Amino acid sequence: MNNNNTWMPEEGESLEGTLVEKLENIGKYNSNLYKIKTNNKIVEVWGKKQLDSLMKLTEIGDKIIITYKGMEQANDFKMKKYELEIINGN
């Protein structure tokens, strides 16, 4: 399921907004889903292993910037790498 509200970043692309919802165990792979409000639009960001660990630092209402850094080799597989900046927390 893919809609035009799902963030599909290119390497180096950032998403800035306010975290409005965190959902767990969503979909076929029991993934996390984060909803971020940007300019009166809700953008959905699917969790990945590294992003999920960063997002544990956030709370609903936090203004954040997520930057997709590209693919990184991790043992025998490649994983998506992200950076998270919390601009102002609750």
Side-chain angles (χ1 to χ4, degrees), residues 11-41:
E11 187 171 339
E13 188 177 340
S14 295
L15 176 67
E16 180 175 347
T18 303
L19 180 64
V20 294
E21 192 171 9
K22 290 182 180 183
L23 302 170
E24 297 180 346
N25 300 318
I26 302 298
K28 175 173 157 178
Y29 300 108
N30 296 320
S31 299
N32 292 338
L33 180 65
Y34 307 101
K35 294 188 179 187
I36 300 169
K37 183 176 182 184
T38 64
N39 301 326
N40 299 320
K41 178 179 173 184

Side-chain angles (χ1 to χ4, degrees), residues 14-22 35-40 54-55 57-67 83-90:
S14 295
L15 176 67
E16 180 175 347
T18 303
L19 180 64
V20 294
E21 192 171 9
K22 290 182 180 183
K35 294 188 179 187
I36 300 169
K37 183 176 182 184
T38 64
N39 301 326
N40 299 320
L54 292 174
M55 291 299 287
L57 304 171
T58 64
E59 296 181 17
I60 302 301
D62 285 351
K63 185 165 182 174
I64 60 174
I65 301 173
I66 301 170
T67 303
E83 271 183 9
L84 172 69
E85 182 181 351
I86 301 173
I87 299 169
N88 64 333
N90 278 337

